[in-house]
Amino acid sequence: MKLTIYEIGVLNLAIAVIPILVVIAILMMWSLKSKTAMYASVRMLVQLTVVGYVLTSIFALDNAGIVVIVLALMLLLASWIALRPLRQKSTDLYAKALFGISVGGISTLALTTFAVLQIDYWYQPQYVIPLAGMIFSNAMNTVSLAAERFESDMAVVPDYIRARNSAFTAALIPSINTFFAVGLVAFPGMMTGQILSGVSPLIAVKYQIVIMSVLFGSSGASAAIYLYLQRHATAPARDAHPG
């Protein structure tokens, strides 16, 4: 039996936003930062709408130069957003985040597209851009968690090794929790989307295993590189407080 893909109309889409409004209402009643949630929600809606039209055009053009530009912009933005939780931001920290996400992300993206999926050509946008989006964003979140924990721990006890290990362990908690929960508590978005589109669950599972493997690898590598690059910047503080 072929599964029907149901068209989501504007009214149906508006209904789907109700849960967001409920959470914003709770934030307002509890006098919390509701403006941040409202801004983020509006931004999400606008960004996804725009990207839908942009990706349609990019897929149609099928141009290597445009794909490279898109990947570069994704990396630049991901690195900038990764440092958002930090109290002290700098060009040096941005460069470290960019290097970490780029090395961890691009290497796993290449592994996935060339060795696993074996796509027709390296810049095939229908595969490269969505995969890059998942890989870069996951690496961004992990680097963000690692950077925030590292900064906090170093402010309390300026011990690089201790702060590095604590930050790396904490940054991997969401990914490891997902490993434990997948298939039992959670069905990931890609797997769910494929099943809804009529793909065999067994095929969807294979794709999901690939995605989760490369996401864990890219995020862990990106965070490790960022934390490794922090060793020299924090050495003076560590020496100044030998206890």
Side-chain angles (χ1 to χ4, degrees):
M1 182 179 69
K2 187 176 181 180
L3 193 63
T4 302
I5 301 298
Y6 296 99
E7 178 68 27
I8 300 177
V10 177
L11 178 60
N12 304 85
L13 205 58
I15 294 173
V17 178
I18 291 177
I20 295 178
L21 300 178
V22 171
V23 175
I24 290 175
I26 294 172
L27 288 169
M28 294 176 68
M29 287 188 295
W30 290 359
S31 300
L32 298 174
K33 295 181 179 180
S34 58
K35 290 184 179 179
T36 302
M38 286 189 283
Y39 170 71
S41 301
V42 172
R43 180 168 170 170
M44 176 271 293
L45 294 170
V46 172
Q47 286 177 176
L48 287 178
T49 301
V50 171
V51 80
Y53 288 103
V54 171
L55 286 179
T56 301
S57 301
I58 291 175
F59 291 172
L61 291 172
D62 201 21
N63 182 276
I66 293 177
V67 172
V68 170
I69 291 173
V70 170
L71 296 182
L73 288 174
M74 291 168 70
L75 286 170
L76 292 172
L77 289 172
S79 304
W80 177 68
I81 296 172
L83 300 181
R84 189 182 62 84
L86 299 188
R87 292 186 295 273
Q88 296 182 352
K89 305 176 181 66
S90 67
T91 304
D92 177 63
L93 288 178
Y94 177 76
K96 291 173 181 176
L98 177 61
F99 184 77
I101 296 174
S102 297
V103 173
I106 294 176
S107 60
T108 50
L109 176 63
L111 176 71
T112 307
T113 53
F114 295 149
V116 180
L117 298 180
Q118 298 181 348
I119 59 178
D120 295 333
Y121 44 96
W122 69 266
Y123 62 89
Q124 195 168 352
Q126 292 87 344
Y127 288 92
V128 173
I129 293 177
L131 286 171
M134 287 188 284
I135 292 171
F136 296 166
S137 64
N138 206 68
M140 171 193 74
N141 290 332
T142 306
V143 169
S144 187
L145 290 171
E148 193 279 332
R149 174 61 71 90
F150 183 82
E151 182 186 59
S152 298
D153 286 359
M154 287 297 294
V156 177
V157 180
D159 182 331
Y160 167 73
I161 299 297
R162 178 179 177 276
R164 181 203 65 188
N165 293 348
S166 174
F168 191 63
T169 301
L172 293 179
I173 288 175
S175 297
I176 293 176
N177 283 350
T178 301
F179 275 20
F180 280 116
V182 66
L184 299 175
V185 178
F187 289 93
M190 181 178 181
M191 179 177 169
T192 302
Q194 287 185 315
I195 293 174
L196 288 176
S197 64
V199 173
S200 166
L202 293 177
I203 296 177
V205 163
K206 291 178 182 178
Y207 271 89
Q208 194 59 53
I209 290 173
V210 170
I211 293 302
M212 295 193 70
S213 298
V214 298
L215 290 185
F216 185 75
S218 63
S219 61
S222 298
I225 292 170
Y226 173 84
L227 293 170
Y228 177 77
L229 293 175
Q230 282 287 69
R231 71 196 189 285
H232 293 310
T234 54
R238 184 186 64 215
D239 295 339
H241 301 79

